[in-house]
Amino acid sequence: MMRIRVAMLAALVATGVAVLSACGSTAGTPTAAAPAGNIAPVDFQTGTASANGAPQNTGDFAAPGDTAAAEQWVELDAGSAGSLNPVVLNGKGFTLYRFDKDSPKPPKSTCNGDCAKTWPPVTLKQGAKLFLNGVAQSDVGFVTRDDGTMQVTLGGWPIYKYSGDTQAGQTNGQGVGGTWFGVTPEGAKAGKSQEGTDQATGVGYKTGTAKENGADLTAGDDYKGPRTDDAAMKWVQLTRGSAGGLNPIVHDGAGFTLYRFDKDSPKPPTSNCNGDCAKTWPPVLVKPGSRIFVNGVATSKIGILTRADGSRQVSIGGWPVYRFSGDKQAGDTNGEGVGGTWFAVSPTGGKVLPKGGTPAPQSSQPAPGTSAPASAPAGSGTVTLGNGSAILDSGTNFSEPNGSSGVSGPGCVAVPQPAQVSSIKLDGGPVKLWKGPGCTGQSMVITSSVADLATIGFDKQVVSIRFGDK
């Protein structure tokens, strides 16, 4: 089988596309099974349940009492609710809680019987899907309850809904008995986010989204003109979420990914992106009287710095934040890894790297503010793509339970059977994966083989692949 795959990789460059039938055995394939204790009991997916096509009337939207349907999937969505920020909600927008009488080390739930009727535990069955939107997979775990069901944990703490919350966004369980609190994405107790006007900058802070707070939706992040216009600076929204397999990241109120620049400085906060650079990477600007809406991003992590031209820029964790002119629609992440120095920004100011994929090397990227190299195809951001080939396997770890197929460049190539692609063996990358036909929709650059596409949010969803031009 290995000899066939090697020959196939060589042949693809000349023939463009080849398809293999199922082999009936994976002997000889480069599998690397993890020890049983390291295998996740659920299928992690980046993004919301809706974006990933979860069935209706299941998971968080299942009818009351339909446990089998409810345990098919759960969504953990970082955001805000009432005055709490950040806090975790489920896919239906209901606040999730933790209980002080439980234990995180080792994880243990002490809420059973009547307690569990008032505070229904968030449970899943083995093999269910867990959608993460702004919650890091590393903070998620599981604990077996006294009744044998599997409960989700955050930071080791078992998590629950509250029967007293009857509508999305309610926080009636906060502080009940002095032991129940909304849970943060890391498993801590959620609290009120600082609000009001910062006297030093004249910028106001408000918990929730711009829409929830009645902001002018023709201005701020939704403004269609230059980001330096007064209307654009009227308000900024900082939302914790995910995009293009990157999680957790921060995006603005229009859904555009926000980035940080390695050549800037967080201490003291300083931007080194000016002139043409600032045209390619528009800084997120505010002015006295502006409002910043926080939705899953702690106010304590947000700052304002003065740029070289005297304008004021938003920072997260001390790092100045920017949009990317190459992102044309909400959810794009074309700025990820550009120049080896630009990365999506995390809710604490860190750089966000894809799981299973790595940013393109710095040597293959243009300097900030310059045009893309000739080898970068239109629509692929500013990454120099390789004109190689790829084996698309139907199982994880390059196994072939339902066969495999192969594609090669140049240009944009359709994937023969998108619903049968769970891992990719790459030769001659980087390439760009797309969820839509003709290299459209959500995208992700990878520079090496990916053993499990679910780790970057692309399992059974790679519809087309962009290779380099000749």
Side-chain angles (χ1 to χ4, degrees), residues 98-116:
R98 48 163 278 180
F99 183 33
D100 279 357
K101 294 183 180 180
D102 286 347
S103 169
K105 295 181 180 180
K108 173 66 176 176
S109 171
T110 61
C111 179
N112 300 288
D114 288 343
C115 175

Side-chain angles (χ1 to χ4, degrees), residues 288-310:
S290 296
R291 288 198 294 174
I292 297 179
F293 299 105
V294 289
N295 183 38
V297 179
T299 305
S300 61
K301 296 295 182 181
I302 303 170
I304 309 294
L305 63 104
T306 301
R307 293 175 50 78
D309 61 4

Side-chain angles (χ1 to χ4, degrees), residues 6 30 52 90 116 131 160 186 211 273 290 313 388 392 458 466:
V6 172
N52 283 283
N90 70 6
F131 301 103
Y160 308 79
E186 296 77 26
K211 183 176 181 180
C273 179
S290 296
Q313 183 175 4
L392 314 175
F458 273 72
R466 170 73 74 173

Side-chain angles (χ1 to χ4, degrees), residues 108-129:
K108 173 66 176 176
S109 171
T110 61
C111 179
N112 300 288
D114 288 343
C115 175
K117 295 178 182 178
T118 302
W119 302 90
V122 177
T123 58
L124 284 172
K125 63 180 181 180
Q126 292 280 337
K129 293 184 183 295

Side-chain angles (χ1 to χ4, degrees), residues 1-9 27-31 400 425:
M1 182 58 204
M2 178 60 74
R3 298 172 70 180
I4 294 174
R5 292 169 64 84
V6 172
M8 182 179 177
L9 278 169
T29 57
T31 58
E400 305 170 31
K425 187 71 173 178

Side-chain angles (χ1 to χ4, degrees), residues 40-45 68-74 123-131 142 150:
V42 302
D43 180 10
F44 286 101
Q45 300 278 321
E71 290 188 339
Q72 289 186 28
W73 61 265
V74 164
T123 58
L124 284 172
K125 63 180 181 180
Q126 292 280 337
K129 293 184 183 295
L130 184 52
F131 301 103
F142 308 91
M150 183 176 70

